[in-house]
Amino acid sequence: MNKDEVADILVNIGTLLELKGENPFKTRAYHNAARTIETLSEPLDKLIAEDRLGEIKGIGEALQEKITTLVTTGRLPYYEDLRASVPKGLVDMLEISGLGPKKLRALNKELGIENIEQLEQACKDGKVATLAGFGEKTQQNILEGIHRKRSYASRHLYADAILVAEPLRDALRDHPDVVRCSTAGSLRRNKEIIGDVDLLASSKKPMEVIEYFAGLPGILSVIAKGDTKCSVLLEGGIQADLRVVSDAEFPFALAYFTGSKEHNIVMRQRAIARGLRLNEYGLFKSKEETRDPKLLVKCATEEDIFTELGLQYVPPELREAAGEFEAAEKGDLPRLIEWSDLKGSLHNHSTWSDGHQSLEEIARSMIELGCAYWAITDHSKAAFQANGLTEDRVRQQIKEVREINQKLEAEGDDFRLLTGTEVDILKDGRLDFPDDLLAELDVVVASIHQSFTLSEAEMTARLVGAAKNPFVSTLGHLTGRLLLEREPYKVNHAAVIDACAETGTWIELNASPLRMDMDWRHWHYAKSKGVKCVINCDAHRFEHAGFLRLGAGIARKGWLTKADVINTLPLDKLRKALQAKRVK
Ligand code: DGT
Ligand code: CA
Ligand code: CA
Ligand code: ZN
């Protein structure tokens, strides 16, 4: 078991103990130990083998024993017993926003509540409001939290859906009876949130393909199975629909099942206006609904369908009935960014704050990935919960970055780490670091991590103020939303975008699957104002470098091209671009 897995279990233990009402010092010890373990620079098994766990601050004997058991056996009976002793419904309720272990424990003790249904009833009966420390407002918040949790349960993050859908698509493509296969629906349109996964295949033997599909790994259960259609439940709780059609039908079915529904409606109307009929089976020379193959206008690909309807090919990401028809009629659709255009990420964390790898480890692995640069933007001091850096530590970090870069240069490598910070925008709009320090850094990302509940005008003023600072290169995750977890705080996007246009400030597309912030719906406007996008991983671990691909997918949805995205620039041009605002 590695250190991240161990840390996760320690956090769970801390939370379970809190639910049981254990003393706060004990529960906090587990949370603190988890944070310490996560940021260790050496592997745990090495520390254990050398009997050096005791040297780590804040890890007493009892914890050492548990960590050793976990790492060496992969299990911990203490944890298993603890889990079994707390009702599962109670643990599930932790996912309701605004309900911590302390409140849950009170609800359990005073009202005997053990699951969400009981909690909802108690709120509706007004019983929760009468408890000490709760009140009407809390009761209302809990009810809203319950509704939100339910509406989130049937929706999934794009990243999670891709992870299960692509192996299924590839397995289908490998089957000898499958001619063509593609994802469809919201997944193919790169939506940040996915209801269900849609797959489409063409074959002469649909039943064989359906049987094969239903038996693929990763499928938990078959919900419905017909001759040409199959619905399944995947591990992780996502539902997937496979449809199998003839290869002649494939392009039409693909266009239809890719959607969006709104886009399809306009496509059908265009067909009708030309005396044709378009549906999932074909494009027909007919004034009425039909599936008659004799009337079919043959189209080998989706491209042909668009051509028949007088349109430039519309990439799936743009099929939202949001301006794509006007542009495609004139042949004005942009050539969208490809993820391979990206040269590195300009917002990332290291073990200096809450990241999981050291600077040199990060540099080496990003070289391996073929990046040209990677900015280190650890948190500023106000983000104490994320181990934010003091001004002194930032200056030390700058030194370390320079040393690593010198080493790379001596080795003949062109890759460079860039110095930086993710500086907090404080409640009153000031930045957490003075300008003279910001001026020493290559990249300054300014983000809000506190005081989320101010009015829209106040939140907007904080962001606009940050954009006006000559040393701020980028505004980070504009609304602080965590998809399916936390609502965005209120921001007037147009006002912030206008301020960025005026000051030459870039806006981040934070590609963490939970964020995808700024939202794709605002990029079209930003682009029209000449505001540049930075697609950032906000990486806290190596694996997060993969977010570049997801972020590019969402940027495509925002109509962005290579020229609209700053981190497609090679290093020398990026350095110039970073200076441009400062000399203005
Ligand atoms: P989702 O699954 O909620 O994230 O969104 P979609 O877009 O994947 O929707 P889904 O799975 O219900 O259907 C896939 C596509 O099939 C949808 O984007 C468009 C097409 N489609 C489904 N039902 C209808 C319909 O009633 N009318 C039209 N025009 N198209 C439909
Ligand atoms: Ca779908
Ligand atoms: Ca579907
Ligand atoms: Zn942040």
Side-chain angles (χ1 to χ4, degrees), residues 378-391 421-427 430-433 447-450 462:
D378 278 308
H379 289 284
S380 64
K381 57 186 186 288
F384 55 88
Q385 74 290 351
N387 194 26
L389 273 59
T390 59
E391 286 149 45
T421 180
E422 180 183 17
V423 65
D424 261 42
I425 303 172
L426 304 175
K427 186 172 178 183
R430 280 181 308 120
L431 297 180
D432 195 23
F433 284 142
S447 313
I448 291 178
H449 292 114
Q450 46 159 306
R462 289 167 82 185

Side-chain angles (χ1 to χ4, degrees), residues 185 195-199 229 231 239-241 243 257:
D196 69 355
V197 165
D198 298 283
L199 291 160
K229 216 189 129 174
S231 291
Q239 197 181 313
D241 292 335
R243 291 179 188 80
F257 290 112

Side-chain angles (χ1 to χ4, degrees), residues 347 349 379 422 447 449 477 515 538:
H347 171 182
H349 300 271
H379 289 284
E422 180 183 17
S447 313
H449 292 114
H477 48 68
R515 293 190 184 269
D538 197 352

Side-chain angles (χ1 to χ4, degrees), residues 349-513:
H349 300 271
S350 74
T351 45
W352 284 71
S353 68
D354 59 348
H356 291 237
Q357 274 88 28
S358 69
L359 300 185
E360 181 147 6
E361 283 177 296
I362 293 171
R364 300 280 171 205
S365 53
M366 295 317 148
I367 290 172
E368 193 88 349
L369 274 181
C371 291
Y373 45 78
W374 200 259
I376 303 296
T377 56
D378 278 308
H379 289 284
S380 64
K381 57 186 186 288
F384 55 88
Q385 74 290 351
N387 194 26
L389 273 59
T390 59
E391 286 149 45
D392 276 350
R393 289 188 70 223
V394 175
R395 292 203 163 91
Q396 285 170 37
Q397 191 185 48
I398 296 175
K399 256 184 73 194
E400 191 182 323
V401 168
R402 294 220 172 103
E403 282 161 17
I404 292 169
N405 281 339
Q406 276 161 12
K407 202 151 129 192
L408 295 174
E409 190 170 3
E411 290 169 20
D413 208 306
D414 292 333
F415 174 92
R416 292 293 176 269
L417 285 180
L418 298 174
T419 61
T421 180
E422 180 183 17
V423 65
D424 261 42
I425 303 172
L426 304 175
K427 186 172 178 183
D428 61 7
R430 280 181 308 120
L431 297 180
D432 195 23
F433 284 142
D435 284 359
D436 65 330
L437 178 62
L438 300 182
E440 289 178 44
L441 296 162
D442 296 324
V443 178
V444 175
V445 179
S447 313
I448 291 178
H449 292 114
Q450 46 159 306
S451 309
F452 290 165
T453 54
L454 302 185
S455 68
E456 178 178 305
E458 287 167 304
M459 295 307 278
T460 304
R462 289 167 82 185
L463 290 162
V464 168
K468 285 185 178 154
N469 182 302
F471 301 104
V472 168
S473 27
T474 314
L475 296 183
H477 48 68
L478 217 57
T479 72
R481 74 178 181 189
L482 295 180
L483 293 167
L484 306 181
E485 273 180 28
R486 185 170 81 199
E487 295 298 304
Y489 43 73
K490 296 191 190 75
V491 172
N492 179 338
H493 280 81
V496 175
I497 290 167
D498 291 347
C500 288
E502 210 163 290
T503 54
T505 310
W506 307 330
I507 296 180
E508 168 177 272
L509 196 173
N510 188 302
S512 164

